[in-house]
Amino acid sequence: MRNWKAAGVFLTFLAVIGLSSCGGNSSPSGGGTSNEASIFTVGTDAPLPAVVSCQIMVNSVTLNNGTTNVPVLTTPQVVDFAQLSGLHQLLDLNAVPTGTYTSATVMISTPVIGLINTAVNPPTITTMNGTLTQSTVTVTFATPFVLTNAELVGLRMEFDLRQSLQTTGGQVNGTINPTFNMQLLSATDANVSIDDFRGGVVGVTNGTTFVIQGPKGRQWTVMTSASTAMDDPTIPVSSFTTNTIVEVSGQIDSVTHDIDATEIEVLSNDDFLLDGLFTSIRPPTGPATAADLYVRSELPDITGIQDGQIETLTLNDTETYKIANIADPITALLFNNSSLTPGQVVGVGGKLTTTNGISTLTVHRVVLRRQGQPGLLVPGQTVIQSGNAGSFQLTDQGTAGILLPNPLPILTTNSTNFINLTGLTGLQGTTAIPLRVVGFILINPATNTPVMVARSVEQLTNDN
């Protein structure tokens, strides 16, 4: 009996409109033939404690309407299912015909698993080539989905890491029995929103609109409005250049198929970004002079720096420190050079110089990013101060959990979103219920130990 899922999610939106102009140079626009739909894909997951990476080539994703298989992924893409826990990654947007869809099929290959070894100091990474028990998985929808004209919906494809990765004696053995859960959802459903989509700016249309190129090479138009939260108000859209790298949260617009941004964080103004997980901070307390970063992605691809490897960064407290998705100067007091810890997910921007074939990154900006930690509630440890403000403890079973205290203290506020729960009072029972917490890892100054400040707390069910 499973208690919770380790999962990766793709979301594909189906807008039944003509997309004859849909291509790689711009976001698809409305208009055209009336019997087609538009699909975009995002992902999320909830991984195993020592697994820091599970990269799988997704060769194709198709929908079945009873007679034909309709492709919804333009080109094969490598997806790291172990980095998204509770977050959604945008992958693609494509046109499909209207009709009734009953199932979805995904074809995958060449899995590579990355494991962190904390028995040594600083920790190291080992990799193993995985073996798939099957390369094609078809999932029948619980209810056939009727896709009508001018509709935009999302295909949620969730890869269950905990069920998929096989173990021997509690250790991952490399065998992968791929397990997916798939469903079609309305484009306005929170389960198909876009979280933390990163890209390099390729052009600014006006003071509210710009175009980015994502990690997979596709370009997307991003629309902002008065309600868009600019995490650094000192850097408006009009000041973006082709050296600017941003992180965008929002939704695909049902008419234009552009990204309607709810939040924008500037990660770098130096045309370089490393995204990953802190595995070691030196010294462990006080101002940091060095940090080991497990690199999950980089923009752009640079010779000498590889995804899936640990890079040591030199720090000197001249860097700018920010908390993503929070536009408040007080964050500098919560996250700075003296409050770094292993287990934090960050984006690191800076200037890259190459001399005699050797690349050196000078860090200018460190942005703390939200992350998801799945696990089990520790019964009897929930404290309610006022409303949903309080705390509880989580037996952490997710990626980076091996780098963090276990159980992990969780702090909640009256702004924390509780999903499938009545609020913090729903965590007062005696059952170790399965949860997924999305938030920020910070240092508690009273104890000088890591805590997670929750943006959302979700009780996991067999459907997620």
Side-chain angles (χ1 to χ4, degrees):
M1 177 179 178
R2 65 182 174 187
N3 291 319
W4 61 272
K5 289 182 181 177
V9 175
F10 292 109
L11 304 176
T12 302
F13 282 129
L14 313 168
V16 187
I17 58 176
L19 291 179
S20 59
S21 63
C22 174
N25 293 326
S26 63
S27 298
S29 58
T33 311
S34 62
N35 292 320
E36 288 189 343
S38 171
I39 307 256
F40 82 75
T41 306
V42 298
T44 185
D45 90 325
L48 305 172
V51 176
V52 293
S53 176
C54 182
Q55 293 188 342
I56 297 178
M57 175 66 75
V58 180
N59 295 302
S60 68
V61 181
T62 57
L63 294 179
N64 186 275
N65 61 12
T67 57
T68 59
N69 289 322
V70 181
V72 296
L73 190 66
T74 304
T75 57
Q77 298 187 24
V78 175
V79 179
D80 187 350
F81 288 103
Q83 68 167 319
L84 299 172
S85 186
L87 302 175
H88 305 144
Q89 179 179 334
L90 175 62
L91 293 183
D92 212 345
L93 173 66
N94 285 290
V96 301
T98 58
T100 299
Y101 291 88
T102 57
S103 65
T105 299
V106 57
M107 296 185 65
I108 57 177
S109 64
T110 57
V112 179
I113 304 168
L115 303 166
I116 188 168
N117 178 13
T118 57
V120 296
N121 188 20
T124 57
I125 300 295
T126 59
T127 61
M128 65 170 68
N129 293 324
T131 301
L132 294 169
T133 60
Q134 56 182 329
S135 60
T136 301
V137 179
T138 298
V139 176
T140 301
F141 301 140
T143 304
F145 193 94
V146 180
L147 185 60
T148 59
N149 189 49
E151 186 176 14
L152 184 68
V153 302
L155 172 65
R156 177 184 174 96
M157 302 178 57
E158 182 173 6
F159 182 74
D160 192 329
L161 272 178
R162 180 163 289 275
Q163 294 292 313
S164 299
L165 297 186
Q166 305 301 295
T167 60
T168 300
Q171 301 297 314
V172 174
N173 59 26
T175 299
I176 299 176
N177 182 26
T179 303
F180 284 88
N181 301 285
M182 307 188 196
Q183 59 186 145
L184 288 167
L185 300 168
S186 167
T188 58
D189 194 299
N191 286 309
V192 289
S193 61
I194 300 167
D195 298 314
D196 305 340
F197 181 61
R198 292 170 296 285
V201 174
V202 297
V204 175
T205 305
N206 51 51
T208 61
T209 307
F210 60 98
V211 178
I212 62 173
Q213 181 168 302
K216 309 302 180 182
R218 183 168 186 158
Q219 293 186 4
W220 303 83
T221 297
V222 180
M223 305 285 293
T224 67
S225 67
S227 62
T228 302
M230 302 293 295
D231 294 343
D232 191 341
T234 66
I235 309 178
V237 170
S238 59
S239 70
F240 290 178
T241 71
T242 53
N243 289 329
T244 304
I245 298 174
V246 298
E247 182 175 87
V248 179
S249 299
Q251 292 182 318
I252 295 291
D253 189 280
S254 61
V255 178
T256 66
H257 299 165
D258 298 333
I259 300 175
D260 288 336
T262 56
E263 297 173 312
I264 295 176
E265 172 73 49
V266 175
L267 299 174
S268 175
N269 270 320
D270 298 294
D271 194 29
F272 189 80
L273 172 71
L274 294 180
D275 182 72
L277 174 73
F278 278 147
T279 60
S280 176
I281 304 296
R282 298 183 292 278
T285 59
T289 58
D292 284 354
L293 182 75
Y294 174 72
V295 178
R296 284 174 164 160
S297 65
E298 55 182 306
L299 284 174
D301 290 331
I302 298 296
T303 302
I305 297 179
Q306 294 182 332
D307 294 357
Q309 301 297 321
I310 291 178
E311 293 290 333
T312 298
L313 307 174
T314 299
L315 305 173
N316 56 23
D317 205 18
T318 63
E319 308 85 19
T320 297
Y321 289 84
K322 303 282 290 183
I323 299 179
N325 315 113
I326 300 179
D328 194 325
I330 198 173
T331 59
L333 301 177
L334 303 175
F335 181 65
N336 51 57
N337 183 263
S338 296
S339 58
L340 307 182
T341 185
Q344 288 174 325
V345 174
V346 296
V348 178
K351 190 68 176 178
L352 189 72
T353 56
T354 302
T355 304
N356 297 325
I358 299 176
S359 299
T360 302
L361 175 66
T362 302
V363 178
H364 291 167
R365 196 176 185 91
V366 181
V367 178
L368 181 67
R369 299 182 53 236
R370 43 190 178 191
Q371 60 195 84
Q373 299 300 126
L376 299 175
L377 172 72
V378 178
Q381 298 300 310
T382 300
V383 176
I384 299 178
Q385 297 173 341
S386 175
N388 284 329
S391 64
F392 64 94
Q393 293 188 8
L394 184 77
T395 301
D396 197 341
Q397 297 174 316
T399 285
I402 199 170
L403 296 169
L404 296 167
N406 207 350
L408 178 65
I410 308 293
L411 302 182
T412 62
T413 71
N414 286 317
S415 297
T416 299
N417 182 28
F418 287 84
I419 305 169
N420 300 327
L421 291 163
T422 56
L424 193 54
T425 57
L427 303 181
Q428 289 184 306
T430 59
T431 303
I433 60 176
L435 301 172
R436 178 162 55 207
V437 183
V438 175
F440 300 98
I441 298 295
L442 296 168
I443 295 296
N444 183 345
T447 61
N448 204 34
T449 57
V451 300
M452 181 174 239
V453 180
R455 290 196 60 161
S456 67
V457 178
E458 178 183 9
Q459 179 175 353
L460 298 179
T461 67
N462 287 337
D463 295 326
N464 56 9

